[in-house]
Amino acid sequence: MDKSKAVTAAAHKLARLIYTMLTKGEEYTDKGQDYYEERYRQRVVHQLSRRVEKLGLKLVPTEGRWGQRAVGRVEDRLTPALPHQTGHADFPHT
């Protein structure tokens, strides 16, 4: 984003904040970086789950490093055979 667009975006955000404060009589409260990072994470997980679903797969939530739910692994709905179970020439038995 170039400088003029960044300035316009910041001005627009300030205008929305001021409008909300004046019309609703609410004070501005900074939600903090953690709030925005969590919203970003939720958006990414939602977008990934939609993309994975289009491929016929399913996301399985697992426990994250800090005790929060995280997207862990992708499972195929049809449970594919493992390479050693297929007997296919490209997957030699070991």
Side-chain angles (χ1 to χ4, degrees):
M1 180 182 298
D2 63 347
K3 186 177 180 179
S4 63
K5 287 186 180 184
V7 169
T8 302
H12 188 161
K13 182 166 185 151
L14 281 173
R16 288 189 314 228
L17 289 171
I18 292 169
Y19 177 80
T20 301
M21 288 170 47
L22 292 175
T23 58
K24 295 184 178 181
E26 297 176 359
E27 288 188 25
Y28 171 73
T29 53
D30 186 10
K31 296 177 182 172
Q33 184 174 351
D34 292 337
Y35 170 79
Y36 292 104
E37 286 178 357
E38 179 60 25
R39 284 193 55 199
Y40 172 75
R41 184 186 155 290
Q42 290 173 354
R43 278 196 317 271
V44 169
V45 168
H46 179 72
Q47 291 168 354
L48 284 174
S49 63
R50 288 179 59 199
R51 289 173 66 187
V52 166
E53 191 175 299
K54 284 182 182 179
L55 295 172
L57 304 171
K58 176 177 77 169
L59 288 179
V60 178
T62 61
E63 196 67 30
R65 286 190 290 184
W66 296 284
Q68 63 189 24
R69 292 187 64 84
V71 176
R73 62 185 194 276
V74 177
E75 288 185 351
D76 190 339
R77 288 187 183 144
L78 300 176
T79 313
L82 297 175
H84 68 276
Q85 296 171 333
T86 62
H88 194 274
D90 290 339
F91 302 109
H93 296 285
T94 55

